[in-house]
Amino acid sequence: MIIGLTGSIASGKSTVSNMLKEYGFPIVDADVVARQVVEPGSETLKKIAEAFGEEVLTENGELDRKKLGSIIFNDEEKRQLLNSIIHPAIRKEMLRQRDEYLEKGEKTVIMDIPLLFESKLQHFVDKILVVSVSEDVQLERLMKRNQLTEEEAKARIQSQLPLSVKEQGADAVINNNGSIEETRKQLEQILKDWDVL
């Protein structure tokens, strides 16, 4: 079974991902893959340098995220160009990792995809697990974690699909407003219900 794990900023998805790791499930993490596909010497990094010029590379041939960020930040066309290079590479590598785990005989693979719904990747997985929190808790955690003002935190939260929308597309929802123990209990129950634990 391929389980898609998603949530929203400061919803506690990483906490649940770590719990799944403790259970021994292999995890394909979209954020990790996003860094892997632009490593020095990679095909994707070459394409980015061709599209945006060598100045987006550091002296060691790594991606200069800051410089690239400043180029695409206020330019929708350039941002779409970057996405058209990076997103297919990320998807391809995620599927490659998923299939490699399955070939090794893993019965359950977790695909940790923060923007699962936004990127319309539901077809990658069999079940979708959403880690959710109330808006108040989300705001409070984000402000605390990233040292943001209320306004900054709200802007980041609003840049993603609302959790209520994600919950509607989920096969199961973990309510992460309480303690770590409560979260773990919910996760265990879902994994048992799905017959993977």
Side-chain angles (χ1 to χ4, degrees), residues 10-186:
S11 68
K13 182 184 62 63
S14 305
T15 304
V16 173
S17 184
N18 288 331
M19 287 176 186
L20 288 161
K21 258 184 218 135
E22 286 167 22
Y23 286 124
F25 292 113
I27 298 191
V28 178
D29 184 329
D31 289 342
V32 172
V33 170
R35 289 193 289 275
Q36 289 170 339
V37 297
V38 293
E39 279 173 1
S42 68
E43 201 49 49
T44 310
L45 191 57
K46 282 186 198 124
K47 285 182 187 165
I48 292 171
E50 280 164 23
F52 294 94
E54 296 289 325
E55 68 266 18
V56 298
L57 301 178
T58 64
E59 284 173 14
N60 333 336
E62 291 174 3
L63 182 61
D64 186 334
R65 289 170 191 281
K66 213 170 184 182
K67 199 161 272 179
L68 183 59
S70 66
I71 293 173
I72 65 164
F73 187 67
N74 292 313
D75 190 328
E76 187 53 38
E77 248 174 62
K78 290 207 163 114
R79 185 160 51 234
Q80 285 179 355
L81 173 62
L82 178 66
N83 288 343
S84 75
I85 297 170
I86 285 190
H87 288 168
I90 293 173
R91 287 198 276 269
K92 193 173 152 193
E93 176 58 19
M94 286 178 69
L95 292 175
R96 190 197 67 73
Q97 290 184 16
R98 177 193 75 180
D99 294 345
E100 194 177 294
Y101 282 127
L102 294 172
E103 279 160 26
K104 282 183 186 160
E106 295 286 355
K107 297 275 178 273
T108 306
V109 179
I110 312 295
M111 295 189 81
D112 181 339
I113 311 177
L115 301 175
L116 180 82
F117 291 104
E118 289 89 341
S119 307
K120 299 185 173 33
L121 299 179
Q122 294 95 315
H123 60 284
F124 275 21
V125 301
D126 303 316
K127 296 270 191 196
I128 296 174
L129 177 57
V130 170
V131 182
S132 192
V133 285
S134 69
E135 285 171 25
D136 304 347
V137 172
Q138 186 181 23
L139 190 62
E140 192 184 312
R141 281 185 190 163
L142 185 56
M143 285 165 63
K144 202 160 143 188
R145 186 184 80 187
N146 294 25
Q147 310 292 303
L148 300 174
T149 65
E150 189 169 332
E151 248 166 61
E152 291 168 329
K154 278 185 171 160
R156 292 203 186 176
I157 291 168
Q158 281 155 6
S159 73
Q160 298 185 332
L161 262 183
L163 277 165
S164 55
V165 174
K166 294 184 179 186
E167 285 178 21
Q168 288 164 12
D171 294 288
V173 175
I174 287 181
N175 172 322
N176 197 26
N177 288 321
S179 68
I180 294 265
E181 261 326 294
E182 288 166 333
T183 299
R184 190 184 296 278
K185 274 189 190 133
Q186 292 175 68

